[in-house]
Amino acid sequence: MNILDAVGKKQSTQKERFEKVRTLVYPDSSDACVTLAAEVAEMVRSRQGEGKNVVLGLATGSTPVPFYRELIRLHKEEGLSLGNVITFNLDEYYGLPRDHPESYFRFMHDQLFDHVDIPAEQINIPDGTIAMDEVYEWCLGYEKQIEEAGGLDLQILGIGRTGHIGFNEPGSSQDSITRMITLDRVTRQDAAADFMGMANVPRSAITMGVGTILNARSIVLMAWGSNKAEIVQEAVEGEMNDRISASFLQDHSNSTFLVDSAASSRLTRFRHPWLVSSVEWGSAMKKRAVVWLSRSLNKPILKLVDEDYNECGAGELLASTSEAAYKVNIDVFNQVQHTISGWPGGKRDADDTNRPERSTPYPKKALILSPEPADAFLGMGGTIERLVEQGHEVVIAYQTSGNLRVADVAAHKFASVVLEMAEEDTEEGWKSQSDYAQEILRLLDDKGEFGIDPERVRSLKGLILRGESRAAADDCGVGYEAQQFLDLPFYEKGRYRRFQRTDEDSDAMRILLEAEQPDIIFATGEAGDPSSIQALSFKAFGEVWESLDQAEWRKNCSVWLYRGRDEAFESHEIDMAVPMSPDQIDGKGEAIRKFMSVNQEELGSPNRNREIAQQYDALGMAEYEAIEAFQRW
Ligand code: GLP
């Protein structure tokens, strides 16, 4: 089926019967974007033949970037002209100069317009620089321009974590039009990294309204990565209301959610497939269903009875295995029980038939990959400490420097301290340090409120973060000599939401893996938004890993996934649950606090570990203070 085929309002098939808007799932974002771009190209070409224009509504954010890259490729390599395309962008921050690196004006030019042949006069982007008292008139004018262009043929959308489209925050009505709005706290928090701190994120924006968007003849909303899974499920399967403006797409006659498999994972047909179709009851599916049953009835696994299975739509499970509830219960109970292990590196001289990790070799060489420096501590600080205590050789490799997260104040503080020390020195021995500090202070000053850090400043910020990482690793018992700072080039050369990986990144990963030849690897980012630092870092690792399939050490190396900044694993997805004592969880909190740049939500990461323990407890497992969760790759 084509993405842009007019389908009319959603007709439910059995499998998709909980979905109130057409949802197409692709294995990954690039497949989806290549298909969509081909269809858009087709539309553009056929209109060219008729001497007509195509009017596109465009979005910013990292989500549409792969789509734009494919359009650029089609233009450069396959001679596609976009000369007959008129564009209207959804939104713009209010108060940002157009040349600010985070303005949507600049973003769109960097990501698309500067590389294709859409005439400048056919590009329309809300103007965030107009005077406050002219905004109202300006917005009416924007609506009129869209109308005069013939209305939007296709509106491209991403989705924010609050479920917003454009910047239509919760409370935006279905018939709202282009206007100025105040940004939600969550939205500003999500943009904080782009702006190097929440304080720099504008408080308001101009956005097309929900009504403006719904007037488009067709709408495609894209979403990638596990962090979007929950909001996609709510928008697609939940009630249509103004709490989630994307849910209004349910009311459009030609709208489509285009998602990758990670973002689709919470839809009923994937999360609880037995509710919508008949399934193969392998052991993973059994575990998924029984854990869900136990959680939704708030009853420990071993207390579930036949009626519970029947009443909740899992009766087929009992029928298909011709087993009574108690047998299935015990089977799944044991499966979950066996995920619990205080020996993340395997238990020496122990029978490992039912343990998540092998007992040999012992001790192991463990390599922990941390995309940004804080990730490893957020996701597995307690487990790192355990691995060290249990005698394993632990190496932490920080894949990127993380320097974009460090606030100006930190660099300012460091330079000022150096300067003061230099001033106290009368012998002139500190001349070069003092010159350096002065230069940093000058660069910080010159770049102004919204400027980009020059390389010197980024490198100082990277060093500050190295100091913090060392302190955090020290809390977990890992010494300086066992820490590697890879500073992957994609990060050093890039900016949030538009990083691009090259072979240099893979080279660095290859050198690391070949030098370390670990027995066990812990990594994260496999289900992240494809343009996130976590996903790009994982890809760099994953590709090299695949290419090393002939290496002897690699055949005996296990790979575990953890979740640092991405969505936590659900109980049924966990293959290894490492329990933590109250002291250990406090220690983890201490390590995380070494990073000045972690935000409030990340500081709460030990609570995620407490929640997992509570979930295990509710399933009827032993009651632990906290659990760090892992999945086999
Ligand atoms: C901002 C934009 C939205 C975009 C959202 C998600 O709020 N105004 O148009 O959909 O961010 O961004 P990303 O695609 O980077 O996840």
Side-chain angles (χ1 to χ4, degrees):
M1 192 197 312
N2 289 331
I3 299 168
L4 297 180
D5 279 350
V7 279
K9 234 174 166 171
K10 172 90 178 116
Q11 302 292 321
S12 297
T13 62
Q14 180 65 9
K15 227 174 165 173
E16 294 152 23
R17 82 186 125 96
F18 287 89
E19 294 161 29
K20 299 173 183 159
V21 55
R22 181 166 80 136
T23 307
L24 300 180
V25 183
Y26 281 76
D28 63 46
S29 58
S30 50
D31 302 327
C33 288
V34 167
T35 312
L36 179 63
E39 291 185 28
V40 170
E42 183 47 42
M43 174 154 90
V44 169
R45 285 195 182 106
S46 89
R47 292 276 175 93
Q48 265 157 15
E50 302 163 18
K52 289 185 184 156
N53 291 325
V54 173
V55 185
L56 294 181
L58 299 179
T60 51
S62 51
T63 307
V65 168
F67 167 66
Y68 296 150
R69 286 189 186 152
E70 178 60 12
L71 282 182
I72 295 169
R73 195 197 65 76
L74 289 171
H75 170 69
K76 295 207 160 140
E77 293 175 17
E78 298 187 16
L80 171 72
S81 167
L82 298 174
N84 63 328
V85 172
I86 300 176
T87 66
F88 287 91
N89 259 82
L90 276 171
D91 48 9
E92 176 62 286
Y93 290 112
Y94 185 70
L96 277 199
R98 291 199 141 175
D99 61 353
H100 184 281
E102 289 308 322
S103 81
Y104 287 169
F105 180 90
R106 176 89 180 264
F107 183 94
M108 286 308 299
H109 283 81
D110 287 353
Q111 297 304 312
L112 181 66
F113 299 144
D114 287 353
H115 314 282
V116 292
D117 62 341
I118 305 175
E121 63 279 10
Q122 287 167 214
I123 294 172
N124 303 282
I125 302 176
D127 186 352
T129 64
I130 36 175
M132 191 66 98
D133 56 0
E134 290 166 21
V135 170
Y136 179 75
E137 280 301 321
W138 191 94
C139 291
L140 292 181
Y142 200 62
E143 292 281 327
K144 199 147 174 258
Q145 271 179 290
I146 298 176
E147 210 182 295
E148 282 168 4
L152 301 166
D153 289 305
L154 166 64
Q155 175 66 55
I156 298 290
L157 298 172
I159 182 169
R161 261 208 302 161
T162 61
H164 65 228
I165 47 180
F167 269 134
N168 290 285
E169 298 287 24
S172 302
S173 70
Q174 188 170 359
D175 53 8
S176 51
I177 60 168
T178 305
R179 68 208 187 285
M180 170 108 116
I181 51 97
T182 301
L183 296 175
D184 203 86
R185 193 185 54 78
V186 180
T187 303
R188 293 185 64 235
Q189 187 166 306
D190 284 349
D194 309 335
F195 284 89
M196 327 222 156
M198 180 124 161
N200 305 326
V201 182
R203 293 183 178 274
S204 46
I206 295 179
T207 182
M208 277 187 199
V210 178
T212 324
I213 294 168
L214 293 178
N215 274 335
R217 283 181 278 282
S218 62
I219 304 176
V220 173
L221 182 150
M222 303 188 254
W224 327 125
S226 64
N227 281 346
K228 296 280 168 77
E230 202 169 316
I231 196 69
V232 163
Q233 188 275 335
E234 286 185 61
V236 170
E237 298 189 346
E239 285 300 307
M240 184 176 86
N241 60 39
D242 66 8
R243 209 173 46 77
I244 296 177
S245 61
S247 69
F248 288 124
L249 264 56
Q250 295 174 10
D251 203 29
H252 190 274
S253 59
N254 192 11
S255 63
T256 303
F257 273 60
L258 192 62
V259 298
D260 65 359
S261 56
S264 74
S265 61
R266 297 249 171 167
L267 296 176
T268 306
R269 66 175 140 140
F270 300 110
R271 196 175 186 209
H272 314 304
W274 55 88
L275 294 180
V276 288
S277 62
S278 80
V279 298
E280 294 266 338
W281 289 104
S283 70
M285 188 65 82
K286 257 198 219 177
K287 177 176 168 191
R288 181 189 273 263
V290 174
V291 166
W292 164 78
L293 199 58
S294 158
R295 289 199 59 195
S296 45
L297 293 174
N298 208 358
K299 236 179 178 191
I301 294 174
L302 293 177
K303 288 192 180 170
L304 296 171
V305 294
D306 290 7
E307 292 75 24
D308 294 330
Y309 280 76
N310 287 331
E311 280 162 23
C312 293
E316 193 198 76
L317 167 56
L318 300 184
S320 72
T321 52
S322 61
E323 281 173 349
Y326 78 89
K327 280 198 77 178
V328 179
N329 292 349
I330 289 176
D331 187 28
V332 173
F333 179 87
N334 285 336
Q335 263 194 67
V336 179
Q337 176 74 29
H338 293 153
T339 63
I340 303 174
S341 173
W343 299 84
K347 187 168 184 183
R348 194 202 303 257
D349 300 330
D351 173 12
D352 57 12
T353 329
N354 287 322
R355 291 179 182 280
E357 179 55 40
R358 310 150 295 156
S359 61
T360 56
Y362 203 103
K364 289 188 174 63
K365 178 167 214 180
L367 174 64
I368 292 155
L369 299 177
S370 191
E372 291 184 80
D375 289 339
F377 303 98
L378 292 168
M380 55 177 294
T383 302
I384 297 178
E385 202 182 340
R386 262 186 194 236
L387 288 165
V388 173
E389 271 167 22
Q390 293 170 358
H392 301 288
E393 183 189 345
V394 176
V395 173
I396 305 180
Y398 306 101
Q399 292 171 281
T400 71
S401 73
N403 57 21
L404 289 172
R405 275 198 193 265
V406 178
D408 283 355
V409 285
H412 201 282
K413 180 167 127 190
F414 179 85
S416 310
V417 171
V418 173
L419 206 59
E420 283 215 10
M421 289 173 84
E423 271 163 15
E424 278 176 19
D425 181 65
T426 46
E427 317 254 301
E428 286 265 314
W430 278 66
K431 170 100 176 62
S432 55
Q433 284 88 339
S434 134
D435 288 350
Y436 172 79
Q438 276 171 5
E439 191 193 344
I440 293 288
L441 292 174
R442 185 181 56 73
L443 290 171
L444 285 170
D445 230 31
D446 286 354
K447 86 172 180 144
E449 196 185 3
F450 291 129
I452 302 182
D453 282 341
E455 217 175 298
R456 268 239 130 140
V457 174
R458 274 187 83 162
S459 102
L460 170 60
K461 289 182 169 183
L463 289 176
I464 292 171
L465 208 43
R466 280 192 186 194
E468 295 174 352
S469 313
R470 251 174 301 191
D474 189 59
D475 279 349
C476 300
V478 180
Y480 187 45
E481 66 301 337
Q483 296 174 58
Q484 302 231 16
F485 298 89
L486 302 186
D487 293 353
L488 289 184
F490 85 81
Y491 184 89
E492 294 309 306
K493 292 183 188 153
R495 233 187 130 77
Y496 281 99
R497 295 182 210 254
R498 50 198 110 160
F499 295 113
Q500 229 166 342
R501 226 158 36 86
T502 67
D503 289 346
E504 287 180 84
D505 302 305
S506 318
D507 293 345
M509 290 309 298
R510 187 181 310 278
I511 293 170
L512 173 79
L513 291 178
E514 285 181 338
E516 298 297 338
Q517 307 201 353
D519 303 303
I520 183 169
I521 294 177
F522 294 87
T524 191
E526 90 296 350
D529 177 328
S531 56
S532 67
I533 298 158
Q534 286 64 30
L536 290 164
S537 301
F538 186 84
K539 266 244 150 107
F541 155 68
E543 278 176 14
V544 173
W545 174 260
E546 292 302 329
S547 74
L548 290 173
D549 60 345
Q550 292 312 314
E552 219 28 64
W553 64 268
R554 194 268 211 193
K555 292 181 188 148
N556 298 313
C557 177
S558 43
V559 180
W560 290 96
L561 303 172
Y562 67 93
R563 291 284 168 89
R565 288 192 163 95
D566 292 328
E567 192 70 18
F569 292 121
E570 296 196 71
S571 321
H572 69 265
E573 295 174 321
I574 299 171
D575 293 320
M576 174 159 72
V578 180
M580 301 167 77
S581 69
D583 280 352
Q584 281 167 333
I585 194 81
D586 286 347
K588 171 174 179 160
E590 275 296 311
I592 295 170
R593 278 195 292 280
K594 296 293 185 298
F595 294 96
M596 259 174 65
S597 50
V598 296
N599 64 30
Q600 222 39 41
E601 202 175 320
E602 291 155 357
L603 274 178
S605 135
N607 290 333
R608 298 221 302 205
N609 302 116
R610 291 195 177 91
E611 274 165 34
I612 302 172
Q614 283 154 13
Q615 287 164 12
Y616 261 53
D617 177 29
L619 294 175
M621 304 294 133
E623 191 177 343
Y624 294 103
E625 174 70 14
I627 284 177
E628 282 180 343
F630 302 87
Q631 194 178 53
R632 226 174 248 112
W633 188 38

